[in-house]
């Protein structure tokens, strides 16, 4: 009888403990899932804010060029005066390494460059940004900075002339470098063609200089298949760094994608 009572007590104890263990397991799983979703949403929010700032930076740089073109269209300006305007703007706005005025035949007439001007109007690959024509971005061979050519067509007496500028995004690099998520989370910027323009991880900056592409990156690949109206994306994926959580946001006017990722650990 005593043995039966002991066994009954053990069964009762087990019946009381098992629900607690199950509840604990469910609670841990729910907590982990909730934390994961919070991190993913946080990454998306950071990527979205960074995308907005980068778009504002690029658009503001284009507006600078349009302001220069407006100054050049003043009536009665001599070539030496136009030359002085271009050189002054390059000194004042380091975003532009070169400003050159081209005639209707594409020949340079005045330029901020001390040597032979090296830029022309972007071809068919150019995209319209705020009324200016912008080429695809690439990594400059000399400065190893993301660079593109921006062109504005002059109206009025100089109809047919173009003001072209070589725009570099050094400030965008600094902006991306300042983004940190946790201890090992970084941001990166990728063009619509998959070219890596900026990376906040110091160990990955050489990839920008090499002109690496991110075509196989899970977030980039996913967002390229999504409708243009879908502005953000998030994924969990694994690579040589381990399991990662990442979020992405589009820069609609440029066709770029900003991604923020960090190890699950």
């Amino acid at each position: 009888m005593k043995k039966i009572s002991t066994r009954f007590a053990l069964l009762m104890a087990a019946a009381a403990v098992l629900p607690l263990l199950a509840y604990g397991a469910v609670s841990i799983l729910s907590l982990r899932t909730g934390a994961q979703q919070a991190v993913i949403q946080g990454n998306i929010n950071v990527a979205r804010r960074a995308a907005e700032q980068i778009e504002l930076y690029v658009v503001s740089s284009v507006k600078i060029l349009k302001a220069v073109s407006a100054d050049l269209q003043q009536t009665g300006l001599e070539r030496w005066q136009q030359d002085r305007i271009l050189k002054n703007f390059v000194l004042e706005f380091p975003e532009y390494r070169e400003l050159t005025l081209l005639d209707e035949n594409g020949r340079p007439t005045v330029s901020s460059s001390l040597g032979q001007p090296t830029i022309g109007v972007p071809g068919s690959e150019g995209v319209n940004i705020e009324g200016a024509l912008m080429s695809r971005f690439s990594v400059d061979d000399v400065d190893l900075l993301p660079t593109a050519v921006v062109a504005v067509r002059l109206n009025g007496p100089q109809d047919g002339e173009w003001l072209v500028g070589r725009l570099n995004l050094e400030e965008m690099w600094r902006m991306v470098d300042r983004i940190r998520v946790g201890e090992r989370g970084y941001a990166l910027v990728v063009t619509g063609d998959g070219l890596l323009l900026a990376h906040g991880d110091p160990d990955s900056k050489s990839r920008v200089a090499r002109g690496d592409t991110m075509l196989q990156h899970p977030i980039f690949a996913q967002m390229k298949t999504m409708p243009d109206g879908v502005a953000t994306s998030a994924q969990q994926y694994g690579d040589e760094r381990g399991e990662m959580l990442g979020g992405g946001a589009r820069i609609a006017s440029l066709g770029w994608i900003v991604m923020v990722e960090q190890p699950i650990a």
Side-chain angles (χ1 to χ4, degrees):
M1 186 71 179
K2 184 178 180 181
K3 190 179 290 185
I4 294 174
S5 298
T6 302
R7 188 175 299 170
F8 180 74
L10 290 173
L11 289 173
M12 290 294 293
V17 170
L18 284 175
L20 293 177
L21 292 175
Y23 175 76
V26 171
S27 297
I28 291 172
L29 181 61
S30 299
L31 182 62
R32 181 177 180 181
T33 301
Q36 184 179 24
Q37 291 302 314
V39 170
I40 289 174
Q41 189 58 50
N43 288 347
I44 290 175
N45 290 338
V46 173
R48 185 188 292 116
R49 288 196 297 271
E52 292 170 352
Q53 292 177 12
I54 291 170
E55 183 172 38
L56 179 62
Y57 170 58
V58 174
V59 169
S60 297
S61 299
V62 170
K63 289 181 177 179
I64 289 172
L65 191 68
K66 294 176 70 175
V68 181
S69 71
D71 282 354
L72 292 177
Q73 291 177 87
Q74 296 179 29
T75 57
L77 286 179
E78 301 290 340
R79 287 301 187 194
W80 69 267
Q81 294 173 310
Q82 293 178 329
D83 182 82
R84 177 52 56 193
I85 288 174
L86 296 187
K87 287 181 169 59
N88 286 343
F89 264 92
V90 165
L91 291 174
E92 189 171 352
F93 298 99
E95 290 85 358
Y96 285 97
R97 294 296 172 88
E98 178 185 330
L99 291 173
T100 298
L101 185 64
L102 305 176
D103 64 18
E104 62 274 9
N105 297 313
R107 294 189 298 262
T109 55
V110 292
S111 177
S112 66
S113 176
L114 297 179
Q116 183 66 23
T118 60
I119 51 178
V121 179
S124 58
E125 84 284 356
V127 295
N128 189 294
I129 305 291
E130 292 288 318
L133 195 61
M134 179 182 290
S135 71
R136 289 192 179 98
F137 272 81
S138 60
V139 178
D140 184 80
D141 293 334
V142 179
D143 299 318
L144 300 179
L145 289 169
T147 183
V149 174
V150 187
V152 177
R153 193 180 187 95
L154 274 64
N155 299 313
Q158 299 88 4
D159 190 29
E161 291 186 317
W162 288 84
L163 175 63
V164 292
R166 186 179 299 281
L167 171 66
N168 77 75
L169 297 184
E170 185 174 1
E171 183 57 36
M172 185 189 75
W173 268 20
R174 296 195 184 101
M175 187 188 307
V176 172
D177 284 346
R178 290 193 292 266
I179 298 175
R180 289 289 185 271
V181 182
E183 294 181 1
R184 290 185 292 158
Y186 300 98
L188 51 154
V189 182
V190 184
T191 69
D193 298 328
L195 179 67
L196 180 62
L197 283 183
H199 205 305
D201 184 354
D203 295 333
S204 298
K205 291 189 180 300
S206 60
R207 300 183 63 188
V208 179
R210 291 198 306 264
D212 284 4
T213 63
M214 307 295 287
L215 297 173
Q216 304 304 317
H217 192 287
I219 292 179
F220 179 84
Q222 182 187 55
M223 294 199 72
K224 291 301 288 185
T225 63
M226 296 165 65
D228 292 340
V230 179
T232 61
S233 172
Q235 273 203 67
Q236 176 178 334
Y237 48 91
D239 57 23
E240 67 278 1
R241 299 166 296 180
E243 287 296 308
M244 306 289 291
L245 282 178
R250 293 185 197 274
I251 304 179
S253 61
L254 300 172
W256 298 356
I257 295 174
V258 179
M259 296 185 283
V260 174
E261 56 182 10
Q262 64 182 139
I264 286 181

